[in-house]
Amino acid sequence: GAGVSQSPRYKVAKRGQDVALRCDPISGHVSLFWYQQALGQGPEFLTYFQNEAQLDKSGLPSDRFFAERPEGSVSTLKIQRTQQEDSAVYLCASSFPLRSGANVLTFGAGSRLTVL
Amino acid sequence: GNSVTQMEGPVTLSEEAFLTINCTYTATGYPSLFWYVQYPGEGLQLLLKATKADDKGSNKGFEATYRKETTSFHLEKGSVQVSDSAVYFCALRKNRDDKIIFGKGTRLHILP
């Protein structure tokens, strides 16, 4: 597609519920990143895929957070047993790795999660 | 570890004023440096970038120069417009396959 598409745009969950957030990257983009942006803060890295391989998951805050990209395209971020501190905007970004220079990440509009 | 520190906001200026948003970084080696902008209700967009020391990134009248000696990448614009009101994020990336590390963001308000 023309851009990075994320769904749902807004999600309200009761504490303890599981949620799944979807990211559809730009076609052909190999690299995919998930970030968490709390209100008034900068995006914080969660995890990174290159194709279907999850190369870095050091930013996932707990084992309740799980991400997958089984076919190297669409990715899903799953949060189990949601807590109020999980309330944030979850951003997905993708890029095509260049041999040189700085790869530019293209971000989606984000999924805003509110946990009540 | 690698990190980015930028001036806290909000920054409020009148239209046509000169803008500087300070950004300094901590990193080993030669990271690539970025400014991203987030307009109200929109996603993060790349504003400009620089990949090596003394490079100047520029876009939409904004400029930033990669200063290795002061580990800085300050954002400047000579004459701001109301439409520049947004949140600006300074960021770095160690290498092409690495994550981007963002600062906390600086909210900019431009008054007509």
Side-chain angles (χ1 to χ4, degrees), chain B residues 24-77:
Chain B
T24 57
Y25 68 90
T26 300
T28 56
Y30 295 88
S32 295
L33 302 175
F34 307 84
W35 277 99
Y36 277 81
V37 59
Q38 194 169 37
Y39 296 104
E42 299 185 18
L44 274 170
Q45 302 173 25
L46 178 67
L47 180 61
L48 53 84
K49 64 181 171 85
T51 59
K52 61 183 187 295
D54 300 324
D55 264 4
K56 178 184 284 187
S58 61
N59 185 26
K60 299 182 180 180
F62 291 89
E63 292 183 339
T65 300
Y66 189 142
R67 301 286 188 200
K68 180 69 175 174
E69 63 276 14
T70 54
T71 61
S72 65
F73 193 55
H74 304 321
L75 182 68
E76 296 182 336
K77 187 174 185 181

Coordinates of all heavy atoms in Angstrom, one line a residue, chain B residues 24-77:
Chain B
T24 N 20.9 17.4 21.9 CA 22.2 16.8 22.1 C 22.1 15.3 22.2 O 21.0 14.8 22.6 CB 23.0 17.3 23.3 OG1 22.2 17.1 24.5 CG2 23.3 18.8 23.2
Y25 N 23.1 14.6 21.9 CA 23.0 13.1 21.9 C 24.2 12.5 22.5 O 25.3 13.1 22.7 CB 22.9 12.6 20.4 CG 24.1 12.7 19.6 CD1 25.1 11.8 19.5 CD2 24.3 13.9 18.8 CE1 26.2 11.9 18.8 CE2 25.4 14.1 18.1 CZ 26.4 13.1 18.1 OH 27.5 13.2 17.3
T26 N 24.0 11.2 23.0 CA 25.1 10.4 23.5 C 25.1 9.1 22.7 O 24.1 8.4 22.6 CB 24.8 10.1 25.0 OG1 24.8 11.3 25.7 CG2 26.0 9.2 25.5
A27 N 26.2 8.8 22.1 CA 26.3 7.6 21.3 C 27.8 7.4 21.0 O 28.6 8.3 20.9 CB 25.5 7.7 20.0
T28 N 28.2 6.1 20.8 CA 29.5 5.8 20.4 C 29.5 5.8 18.8 O 28.4 5.6 18.2 CB 29.9 4.4 20.9 OG1 28.9 3.5 20.5 CG2 30.0 4.4 22.4
G29 N 30.6 6.1 18.3 CA 30.7 6.0 16.8 C 30.0 7.2 16.2 O 30.0 8.3 16.7
Y30 N 29.4 6.9 15.0 CA 28.8 8.0 14.2 C 27.4 7.7 13.8 O 27.1 7.1 12.8 CB 29.7 8.2 12.9 CG 31.1 8.7 13.2 CD1 32.1 7.8 13.5 CD2 31.3 10.0 13.2 CE1 33.4 8.2 13.7 CE2 32.6 10.5 13.5 CZ 33.6 9.6 13.8 OH 34.9 10.0 14.1
P31 N 26.5 8.0 14.7 CA 25.1 7.7 14.4 C 24.5 8.6 13.4 O 25.1 9.7 13.1 CB 24.4 8.0 15.8 CG 25.2 9.0 16.4 CD 26.6 8.7 16.0
S32 N 23.4 8.2 12.8 CA 22.7 9.1 11.9 C 21.7 9.9 12.8 O 21.2 9.3 13.8 CB 21.9 8.3 10.9 OG 22.8 7.7 10.0
L33 N 21.4 11.1 12.5 CA 20.6 12.0 13.3 C 19.4 12.4 12.5 O 19.4 12.7 11.3 CB 21.4 13.2 13.8 CG 22.6 12.8 14.6 CD1 23.4 14.1 14.9 CD2 22.3 12.1 15.9
F34 N 18.3 12.6 13.2 CA 17.0 12.9 12.6 C 16.2 13.9 13.4 O 16.4 14.0 14.6 CB 16.1 11.7 12.5 CG 16.7 10.5 11.8 CD1 17.5 9.6 12.6 CD2 16.5 10.2 10.5 CE1 18.1 8.5 12.0 CE2 17.1 9.0 9.9 CZ 17.9 8.2 10.7
W35 N 15.4 14.7 12.7 CA 14.3 15.4 13.3 C 13.0 14.9 12.7 O 12.8 14.9 11.5 CB 14.4 16.9 13.1 CG 15.3 17.6 14.1 CD1 16.6 17.9 13.9 CD2 15.0 17.9 15.4 NE1 17.1 18.5 15.0 CE2 16.2 18.5 16.0 CE3 13.8 17.8 16.2 CZ2 16.2 19.0 17.3 CZ3 13.9 18.3 17.5 CH2 15.1 18.9 18.0
Y36 N 12.1 14.4 13.6 CA 10.7 14.0 13.2 C 9.7 15.1 13.7 O 10.0 15.7 14.7 CB 10.4 12.7 13.7 CG 10.9 11.5 12.9 CD1 12.2 11.0 13.0 CD2 10.0 10.8 12.0 CE1 12.6 10.0 12.2 CE2 10.5 9.8 11.3 CZ 11.8 9.3 11.4 OH 12.2 8.3 10.6
V37 N 8.6 15.2 13.0 CA 7.6 16.1 13.4 C 6.2 15.4 13.5 O 6.0 14.5 12.7 CB 7.5 17.3 12.5 CG1 7.2 16.9 11.0 CG2 6.5 18.4 13.0
Q38 N 5.5 15.8 14.5 CA 4.1 15.2 14.7 C 3.1 16.3 14.7 O 3.0 17.0 15.7 CB 4.1 14.4 16.0 CG 3.0 13.4 16.1 CD 3.2 12.4 17.3 OE1 3.7 12.8 18.3 NE2 2.7 11.2 17.1
Y39 N 2.4 16.5 13.6 CA 1.4 17.5 13.6 C 0.1 17.0 14.3 O -0.1 15.8 14.4 CB 1.0 17.9 12.2 CG 2.2 18.5 11.4 CD1 2.9 17.8 10.5 CD2 2.6 19.8 11.6 CE1 3.9 18.3 9.8 CE2 3.6 20.4 11.0 CZ 4.3 19.6 10.0 OH 5.4 20.2 9.4
P40 N -0.7 17.9 14.8 CA -1.9 17.5 15.6 C -2.7 16.5 14.8 O -3.1 16.7 13.7 CB -2.6 18.8 15.8 CG -1.6 19.9 15.8 CD -0.6 19.4 14.8
G41 N -3.0 15.4 15.4 CA -3.9 14.4 14.8 C -3.2 13.5 13.7 O -3.9 12.7 13.1
E42 N -1.9 13.7 13.5 CA -1.2 13.0 12.5 C -0.1 12.1 13.0 O 0.3 12.2 14.2 CB -0.7 14.0 11.4 CG -1.7 14.8 10.7 CD -1.1 15.7 9.6 OE1 0.0 15.4 9.2 OE2 -1.8 16.6 9.3
G43 N 0.4 11.3 12.2 CA 1.5 10.4 12.6 C 2.9 11.1 12.5 O 3.0 12.2 11.9
L44 N 3.9 10.4 13.0 CA 5.2 11.0 12.9 C 5.7 11.0 11.5 O 5.5 10.1 10.7 CB 6.2 10.0 13.7 CG 6.4 10.2 15.1 CD1 7.2 9.1 15.7 CD2 7.1 11.6 15.4
Q45 N 6.3 12.2 11.1 CA 6.9 12.3 9.8 C 8.3 12.7 9.9 O 8.7 13.6 10.7 CB 6.1 13.4 9.0 CG 4.7 13.2 8.9 CD 4.0 14.4 8.2 OE1 4.6 15.2 7.5 NE2 2.7 14.6 8.5
L46 N 9.2 12.2 9.0 CA 10.5 12.7 9.0 C 10.6 14.1 8.4 O 10.0 14.4 7.4 CB 11.4 11.8 8.0 CG 12.8 12.2 7.8 CD1 13.6 12.0 9.1 CD2 13.5 11.4 6.7
L47 N 11.3 15.0 9.2 CA 11.5 16.3 8.7 C 12.8 16.5 8.0 O 12.8 17.1 6.9 CB 11.4 17.3 10.0 CG 11.6 18.8 9.7 CD1 10.5 19.3 8.8 CD2 11.6 19.6 11.0
L48 N 13.9 16.0 8.6 CA 15.2 16.1 8.0 C 16.1 15.1 8.7 O 15.9 14.6 9.7 CB 15.7 17.6 8.0 CG 15.8 18.3 9.4 CD1 17.1 17.9 10.1 CD2 15.8 19.8 9.2
K49 N 17.3 14.9 8.0 CA 18.2 14.0 8.6 C 19.7 14.3 8.1 O 19.8 15.1 7.2 CB 17.9 12.5 8.1 CG 18.1 12.3 6.6 CD 17.7 10.9 6.3 CE 17.6 10.6 4.8 NZ 18.9 10.3 4.1
A50 N 20.6 13.8 8.9 CA 22.0 14.0 8.5 C 22.8 12.7 8.9 O 22.5 12.1 10.0 CB 22.6 15.2 9.3
T51 N 23.6 12.2 8.1 CA 24.2 10.9 8.3 C 25.7 11.0 8.7 O 26.3 10.0 9.2 CB 24.1 10.1 7.0 OG1 24.8 10.7 6.0 CG2 22.7 9.8 6.7
K52 N 26.4 12.1 8.6 CA 27.7 12.2 9.1 C 28.1 13.6 9.5 O 27.3 14.6 9.3 CB 28.7 11.8 8.0 CG 28.6 12.6 6.7 CD 29.6 12.0 5.7 CE 29.7 12.9 4.4 NZ 28.4 13.0 3.7
A53 N 29.2 13.7 10.2 CA 29.6 15.0 10.9 C 29.6 16.1 9.8 O 30.1 15.9 8.7 CB 30.9 14.8 11.5
D54 N 29.2 17.3 10.2 CA 29.1 18.5 9.4 C 28.1 18.5 8.3 O 27.9 19.5 7.6 CB 30.5 18.8 8.8 CG 31.5 19.0 9.9 OD1 31.2 19.6 10.9 OD2 32.7 18.6 9.7
D55 N 27.4 17.4 8.2 CA 26.2 17.4 7.2 C 25.1 18.3 7.7 O 24.9 18.5 8.9 CB 25.6 16.0 7.2 CG 26.1 15.2 6.0 OD1 27.0 15.6 5.3 OD2 25.6 14.0 5.8
K56 N 24.5 19.0 6.8 CA 23.3 19.8 7.2 C 22.1 19.2 6.5 O 22.1 19.1 5.3 CB 23.5 21.3 6.7 CG 22.3 22.2 7.0 CD 22.5 23.6 6.4 CE 23.4 24.4 7.2 NZ 23.5 25.8 6.8
G57 N 21.1 18.9 7.3 CA 19.8 18.5 6.8 C 18.9 19.7 6.7 O 19.0 20.6 7.5
S58 N 18.1 19.7 5.7 CA 17.1 20.8 5.5 C 15.9 20.4 4.9 O 15.9 19.5 4.0 CB 17.8 22.0 4.7 OG 18.1 21.5 3.5
N59 N 14.8 21.1 5.2 CA 13.5 20.8 4.6 C 12.5 21.8 5.1 O 12.5 22.1 6.3 CB 13.0 19.3 5.0 CG 11.7 18.9 4.3 OD1 11.4 19.4 3.3 ND2 11.0 18.0 4.9
K60 N 11.6 22.3 4.3 CA 10.5 23.2 4.6 C 11.1 24.4 5.4 O 10.4 25.0 6.3 CB 9.5 22.5 5.5 CG 8.8 21.3 4.8 CD 7.7 20.7 5.7 CE 7.1 19.5 5.0 NZ 6.0 18.9 5.8
G61 N 12.3 24.9 5.1 CA 12.8 26.0 5.8 C 13.5 25.7 7.1 O 14.2 26.6 7.7
F62 N 13.4 24.5 7.6 CA 14.1 24.0 8.8 C 15.5 23.5 8.4 O 15.7 22.9 7.3 CB 13.3 22.9 9.5 CG 12.1 23.3 10.1 CD1 10.9 23.3 9.4 CD2 12.0 23.7 11.4 CE1 9.7 23.6 9.9 CE2 10.8 24.1 12.0 CZ 9.7 24.0 11.3
E63 N 16.4 23.7 9.3 CA 17.8 23.2 9.1 C 18.4 22.7 10.4 O 18.0 23.1 11.5 CB 18.8 24.4 8.7 CG 18.5 24.9 7.3 CD 19.5 26.0 6.9 OE1 20.1 26.5 7.8 OE2 19.6 26.2 5.7
A64 N 19.3 21.7 10.3 CA 20.0 21.2 11.5 C 21.4 20.7 11.0 O 21.4 20.0 9.9 CB 19.2 20.1 12.2
T65 N 22.4 21.0 11.7 CA 23.8 20.6 11.3 C 24.3 19.6 12.3 O 24.2 19.9 13.6 CB 24.7 21.9 11.3 OG1 24.2 22.8 10.3 CG2 26.1 21.4 10.8
Y66 N 24.9 18.5 11.9 CA 25.4 17.5 12.7 C 26.8 18.0 13.2 O 27.7 18.1 12.4 CB 25.6 16.3 11.8 CG 26.0 14.9 12.4 CD1 25.4 13.8 11.9 CD2 26.9 14.8 13.4 CE1 25.8 12.5 12.4 CE2 27.3 13.6 13.9 CZ 26.7 12.5 13.4 OH 27.0 11.2 13.9
R67 N 26.8 18.2 14.5 CA 28.1 18.7 15.1 C 28.7 17.6 16.0 O 28.2 17.4 17.1 CB 27.8 20.0 16.0 CG 27.2 21.1 15.2 CD 28.2 21.8 14.3 NE 27.7 23.0 13.7 CZ 28.1 23.6 12.7 NH1 29.2 23.1 12.0 NH2 27.6 24.7 12.2
K68 N 29.7 17.0 15.5 CA 30.3 15.9 16.2 C 31.0 16.4 17.5 O 31.0 15.8 18.6 CB 31.3 15.1 15.3 CG 32.0 14.0 16.0 CD 31.1 12.8 16.3 CE 31.8 11.6 16.8 NZ 30.9 10.5 17.2
E69 N 31.6 17.6 17.4 CA 32.5 18.1 18.5 C 31.6 18.5 19.7 O 32.1 18.4 20.8 CB 33.3 19.3 18.0 CG 32.5 20.5 17.5 CD 32.1 20.4 16.1 OE1 32.1 19.3 15.5 OE2 31.6 21.5 15.6
T70 N 30.4 18.9 19.4 CA 29.5 19.2 20.5 C 28.4 18.2 20.7 O 27.5 18.4 21.5 CB 28.9 20.6 20.3 OG1 28.2 20.6 19.0 CG2 29.9 21.7 20.4
T71 N 28.4 17.1 20.0 CA 27.3 16.1 19.9 C 26.0 16.7 19.9 O 25.1 16.4 20.8 CB 27.5 15.1 21.1 OG1 27.4 15.8 22.4 CG2 28.8 14.4 21.1
S72 N 25.8 17.6 19.0 CA 24.5 18.3 18.9 C 23.9 18.3 17.5 O 24.6 18.0 16.5 CB 24.7 19.8 19.3 OG 25.5 20.5 18.4
F73 N 22.6 18.5 17.4 CA 21.9 18.6 16.2 C 20.7 19.5 16.4 O 19.5 19.1 16.3 CB 21.4 17.1 15.8 CG 20.9 16.9 14.4 CD1 21.7 17.3 13.3 CD2 19.7 16.4 14.1 CE1 21.3 17.1 12.0 CE2 19.2 16.2 12.8 CZ 20.0 16.5 11.8
H74 N 21.0 20.8 16.6 CA 19.9 21.7 16.9 C 19.1 22.1 15.7 O 19.6 22.3 14.6 CB 20.6 23.0 17.4 CG 21.4 22.8 18.6 ND1 21.2 21.9 19.6 CD2 22.6 23.4 18.9 CE1 22.1 22.0 20.5 NE2 23.0 22.9 20.1
L75 N 17.8 22.2 15.9 CA 16.9 22.5 14.8 C 16.6 24.0 14.7 O 16.4 24.6 15.8 CB 15.5 21.8 15.0 CG 14.5 22.0 13.9 CD1 14.9 21.3 12.7 CD2 13.1 21.4 14.4
E76 N 16.7 24.6 13.6 CA 16.5 26.0 13.4 C 15.6 26.3 12.2 O 15.6 25.6 11.3 CB 17.9 26.7 13.2 CG 18.8 26.6 14.3 CD 20.1 27.4 14.1 OE1 20.5 27.6 12.9 OE2 20.8 27.7 15.1
K77 N 14.9 27.5 12.4 CA 14.1 28.0 11.3 C 14.1 29.5 11.4 O 13.9 30.0 12.5 CB 12.7 27.5 11.2 CG 11.9 27.9 10.0 CD 10.6 27.2 9.8 CE 9.9 27.6 8.5 NZ 8.6 27.0 8.3

